[in-house]
Amino acid sequence: MTDMILLKEGEVVLKGLNKRAFEQKLLSNIRRRLKRFGRFEVIAHQSIIYVEPQSEDCDVDGAFEALKQVFGIMTMTRAAACEKTPEAILAKAKEYLHDELSAAKTFKVESRRGDKSFPMTSVQLSQYVGGELNDAFDNLTADMHQPEFTVQLEVRDRAAYVHGAPIEAAGGLPVGTAGAAVTLLSGGIDSPVSTWMMAKRGMRLIPVHFFSFPYTSQLAKQKVLDLAKLLVPWCGRMNVQIVPFTHIQEQIRDKCPEDYFTLIMRRMMMRIACAVAEDNKCGAIVTGESLGQVASQTMEAMAATEDCADRPVLRPLVGMDKKEVIAIAERIGTFQTSILPYEDCCTVFTPRHPCTHPKIKKVREAEAALDVDALVAEALAGIEFVKIGYEGVYHGGEL
Ligand code: ATP
Ligand code: MG
């Protein structure tokens, strides 16, 4: 069994005293992620994580793809393990990297030696293996500065490892190391990206979706669950909370001045989100708002919404252009689902002239006719929970 995966920890290594806790979290996230690809041993040593298949039927390709979506890993590579002798390392390099070495014109060898009892220094090992490869492959010339291909050799405690250039991995911090937050997930382009961005910084997220059936359809709800499913490989398993929002929207329509509909609706969302956050020990609320994108996303409108929040509202997209958000949505795989044409509750009862620079005092007056506490309690009591795991299985939801 020689084919394995080497991962380099990301910022985790910078965290000093917290390093152990961060590393443990990363290892458990990786182990959970790999379960369905077979039996792997996952251990960390000197900021390198060694992922070794334990049986012939392990799906190493699948595991490698899956690990690209685990935050906290900086770079990753497939590697081959071999005995810790210069001859075994050379033989392994010839065999394992045969195709790359045959295709390149220039190359170099880089070695790292974690095991100081190895009989050669890293420079000697590079020179030995480099010289032999140069002789063995007629197409190759050594180039120390801009080689087309770099052979990497690592002599560690348990074995020696041979591999080519590592690729960039997801980066960020392991999910679960930065606390938890409620993320407001609509069916749009922005909120899956804002959710992803906070997961990247180590947050565990609980998606909350406001659902206005029958003004918005079952398909709109399904779309949100599909988006959550696409986010699970990045964010880990999630418990999506579908909040019934119809009665609140009808009450706003019936009792409040039209120009304030959207603002009051967003304040109700914020109150409910904070209550869910409190119940689930979440320290913040995440939204996909971006400054000036729509009427409800001016600075004053954001202030009017935040007036109802009892914890920080994080808006990771606040300074981004739509183009930049779309580029991320495409990269993380949510864009195609986000653009499916199902309506969101924000487009139900939209005012003709939304108030874009509201005064908080005026908004409070505008919503005075509502029995806010009763409406919040009613919505909370009606929440439907949908658990989404790596297999994408939905539990407890009528779909
Ligand atoms: P998105 O593309 O994320 O839908 P948007 O540009 O359409 O955002 P809005 O509709 O004003 O902007 O919503 C702003 C933010 O409010 C969203 O990014 C999301 O975080 C939250 N939000 C909007 N509608 C809902 C909803 N039905 N359920 C949960 N959160 C919502
Ligand atoms: Mg929207």
Side-chain angles (χ1 to χ4, degrees):
M1 192 113 41
T2 60
D3 194 16
M4 43 111 55
I5 299 169
L6 293 186
L7 310 170
K8 198 157 278 180
E9 291 176 13
E11 277 180 61
V12 176
V13 296
L14 303 174
K15 295 288 171 184
L17 286 177
N18 289 332
K19 179 175 154 56
R20 236 190 96 69
F22 274 67
E23 196 169 80
Q24 287 309 314
K25 193 76 196 166
L26 179 55
L27 290 177
S28 72
N29 290 353
I30 289 171
R31 289 188 184 116
R32 194 174 312 115
R33 191 75 184 88
L34 291 184
K35 264 192 191 140
R36 65 195 179 114
F37 299 99
R39 219 155 46 78
F40 288 88
E41 185 189 59
V42 182
I43 53 164
H45 187 63
Q46 293 176 338
S47 300
I48 308 266
I49 296 171
Y50 298 81
V51 180
E52 256 182 275
Q54 300 296 299
S55 62
E56 290 302 332
D57 58 358
C58 282
D59 176 4
V60 184
D61 291 340
F64 192 73
E65 283 310 302
L67 290 171
K68 289 180 181 171
Q69 292 178 292
V70 175
F71 290 124
I73 302 170
M74 188 165 61
T75 63
M76 56 197 289
T77 180
R78 295 283 283 267
C82 64
E83 222 185 302
K84 289 196 285 184
T85 65
E87 296 74 23
I89 294 172
L90 171 64
K92 184 54 77 180
K94 279 184 185 166
E95 173 211 323
Y96 186 67
L97 301 174
H98 181 270
D99 294 352
E100 290 89 339
L101 289 168
S102 303
K105 286 197 188 60
T106 56
F107 85 117
K108 79 169 172 182
V109 178
E110 274 180 9
S111 307
R112 275 173 291 271
R113 196 180 57 137
D115 173 8
K116 300 296 174 201
S117 68
F118 188 73
M120 289 179 172
T121 64
S122 46
V123 174
Q124 285 168 335
L125 178 63
S126 297
Q127 282 172 348
Y128 164 69
V129 174
E132 295 288 329
L133 291 177
N134 209 353
D135 292 346
F137 291 83
D138 289 342
N139 53 303
L140 285 180
T141 323
D143 180 346
M144 295 304 125
H145 304 293
Q146 283 193 310
E148 239 176 82
F149 184 66
T150 303
V151 174
Q152 308 215 11
L153 310 175
E154 316 210 14
V155 184
R156 303 276 169 183
D157 286 345
R158 287 162 37 122
Y161 302 91
V162 175
H163 59 87
I167 60 163
E168 290 261 318
L173 302 170
V175 168
T177 56
V182 158
T183 181
L184 298 191
L185 190 62
S186 71
I189 296 168
D190 300 327
S191 47
V193 174
S194 52
T195 304
W196 179 86
M197 284 179 74
M198 296 322 295
K200 185 168 194 268
R201 296 310 298 165
M203 276 189 151
R204 190 171 61 77
L205 293 149
I206 298 186
V208 166
H209 177 69
F210 297 95
F211 184 48
S212 292
F213 190 77
Y215 301 104
T216 60
S217 67
Q218 291 296 339
L219 288 172
K221 174 163 115 186
Q222 183 60 49
K223 180 184 177 187
V224 171
L225 296 176
D226 288 342
L227 285 168
K229 193 162 128 189
L230 292 169
L231 289 168
V232 161
W234 301 101
C235 301
R237 292 171 297 187
M238 295 197 291
N239 190 1
V240 182
Q241 320 226 339
I242 309 285
V243 180
F245 208 51
T246 315
H247 188 212
I248 289 179
Q249 287 201 282
E250 287 172 344
Q251 287 281 299
I252 295 172
R253 177 196 58 191
D254 294 346
K255 297 187 172 165
C256 303
E258 181 183 332
D259 296 0
Y260 289 89
F261 280 1
T262 312
L263 283 166
I264 296 171
M265 180 192 75
R266 300 196 61 79
R267 283 165 63 90
M268 294 304 288
M269 285 184 175
M270 199 50 81
R271 291 186 177 103
I272 294 165
C274 287
V276 173
E278 181 63 25
D279 284 350
N280 291 278
K281 302 191 175 60
C282 292
I285 310 296
V286 177
T287 81
E289 290 163 300
S290 159
L291 187 65
Q293 195 186 77
V294 290
S296 62
Q297 296 177 23
T298 62
M299 191 168 52
E300 294 87 343
M302 288 188 197
T305 318
E306 213 159 309
D307 182 44
C308 301
D310 61 3
R311 57 205 73 208
V313 179
L314 307 178
R315 301 179 173 90
L317 313 186
V318 74
M320 289 171 79
D321 291 350
K322 196 77 184 181
K323 217 175 104 190
E324 295 169 302
V325 178
I326 288 174
I328 299 179
E330 283 178 327
R331 189 154 61 78
I332 66 175
T334 54
F335 185 69
Q336 291 304 328
T337 303
S338 285
I339 57 175
L340 293 174
Y342 303 118
E343 60 299 316
D344 181 57
C345 71
C346 289
T347 53
V348 178
F349 316 138
T350 333
R352 275 157 297 184
H353 307 288
C355 176
T356 49
H357 300 285
K359 298 253 181 310
I360 289 181
K361 192 165 154 274
K362 284 258 167 19
V363 190
R364 286 183 186 157
E365 283 165 19
E367 75 182 9
L370 298 178
D371 186 346
V372 167
D373 292 346
L375 287 171
V376 169
E378 181 192 323
L380 291 172
I383 291 181
E384 176 196 353
F385 304 93
V386 186
K387 287 195 183 121
I388 305 185
Y390 292 107
E391 319 290 335
V393 187
Y394 304 132
H395 302 283
E398 253 182 67
L399 292 164

